[in-house]
Amino acid sequence: GNFGMYPKYVLRLDGPEGEFLLSARKRKKSKSSNYLISLDKDDLARQSGNYFGKLRSNFIGTEFVIFDKGSKPHENGAKGIQPNVRSELGGVLYQHNILGTRGPRKMTVVIPSLDSRSKRKSFVSDQKGESIMDLFKQTNGDTDDMIVYQNKSPAWNEQLGAFCLNFDGRVTEASVKNFQLVETDESDDVVCQFGKISDNEFTMDYKYPMSAVQAFAVCLTSFDGKLACE
């Protein structure tokens, strides 16, 4: 649930059993928003074997990078080649509100491309490599190394007096956090969607080539405060 300044989030399978998949919590004492993603509902320690990934934002909350569970380069002071260095699983970029203070957000999501064997393109920015967000900004996404999605623009509904998207019944409440990700705004091929169904519950749907941890991390960015976007 989204409680307090350092909330905890839980991802479960949709269904009567509600089987647990992933959890996340916002870290304390971080200069920017920082979320730990875990394979355990209660064990959310960075040093734990259940640690599965990390989501980190810039200071104003408009740009996020998703990391896997690898270690930060040379965080133990070692020199030379270091095994298990973290890789980037994706990035999220929020633009200034496109319709003033009351309009919908504009978000861009980038994930590494996959080859014919579904192996992910490696982005290890801290080892003299290029970060996925750096490459996106340099190429505007025009590269085979990444897949670029944008949130589908909602249409204004006169009857409801609000911007609306068609979630086919999966979302029941209006929220600025609701979104659908597509490759082009004209496309109806939604790779990930997220929306509110009650005060503290949201639905998340995703499909290949996005993984559960990528989709979960992208949805977490929707909860984070964005000084330049609100």
Side-chain angles (χ1 to χ4, degrees):
N2 187 6
F3 303 108
M5 293 181 64
Y6 304 102
K8 176 181 172 182
Y9 304 90
V10 176
L11 177 65
R12 300 181 184 277
L13 283 177
D14 193 11
E17 298 298 324
E19 185 179 349
F20 170 81
L21 290 178
L22 295 168
S23 65
R25 69 170 174 86
K26 193 171 185 179
R27 297 183 72 184
K28 301 177 181 179
K29 300 179 181 178
S30 293
K31 293 181 180 179
S32 60
S33 292
N34 210 310
Y35 297 81
L36 291 182
I37 299 173
S38 174
L39 293 170
D40 189 275
K41 184 175 68 172
D42 301 309
D43 180 10
L44 290 129
R46 172 66 177 81
Q47 294 76 25
S48 167
N50 289 310
Y51 172 68
F52 199 59
K54 173 182 173 180
L55 174 70
R56 186 183 69 194
S57 82
N58 63 357
F59 179 71
I60 59 175
T62 55
E63 187 174 311
F64 296 79
V65 178
I66 308 163
F67 297 98
D68 67 10
K69 63 180 180 180
S71 59
K72 187 176 180 180
H74 304 308
E75 64 180 3
N76 58 3
K79 301 291 185 181
I81 297 175
Q82 182 182 359
N84 302 320
V85 175
R86 67 186 184 190
S87 296
E88 296 179 2
L89 301 179
V92 183
L93 182 66
Y94 284 87
Q95 297 178 14
H96 290 276
N97 205 305
I98 55 177
L99 291 176
T101 57
R102 298 187 63 185
R105 297 168 173 172
K106 181 66 175 177
M107 64 189 291
T108 301
V109 175
V110 296
I111 61 173
S113 59
L114 303 174
D115 64 18
S116 58
R117 298 180 181 179
S118 295
K119 183 178 180 181
R120 189 174 59 242
K121 164 71 178 178
S122 178
F123 285 91
V124 186
S125 62
D126 298 288
Q127 287 194 324
K128 299 182 179 178
E130 194 166 41
S131 78
I132 195 167
M133 294 307 294
D134 287 341
L135 183 60
F136 170 74
K137 292 172 184 177
Q138 292 167 13
T139 64
N140 199 30
D142 187 17
T143 169
D144 293 334
D145 290 338
M146 66 177 65
I147 308 171
V148 181
Y149 299 104
Q150 58 182 292
N151 63 315
K152 192 172 181 63
S153 299
W156 179 258
N157 186 306
E158 290 288 351
Q159 186 176 359
L160 298 176
F163 290 97
C164 296
L165 289 165
N166 180 14
F167 287 95
D168 291 322
R170 291 286 291 158
V171 176
T172 56
E173 295 192 16
S175 172
V176 70
K177 299 176 178 65
N178 298 352
F179 66 80
Q180 292 178 320
L181 293 181
V182 291
E183 287 200 57
T184 65
D185 204 35
E186 297 75 27
S187 174
D188 291 320
D189 184 20
V190 177
V191 73
C192 179
Q193 68 178 21
F194 180 69
K196 189 173 184 179
I197 58 172
S198 71
D199 284 349
N200 291 301
E201 287 186 306
F202 290 75
T203 58
M204 181 188 93
D205 301 294
Y206 72 96
K207 67 179 183 180
Y208 182 90
M210 193 169 280
S211 68
V213 68
Q214 287 171 323
F216 186 41
V218 170
C219 293
L220 288 174
T221 71
S222 195
F223 289 101
D224 203 67
K226 298 160 188 64
L227 299 180
C229 297
E230 303 297 348

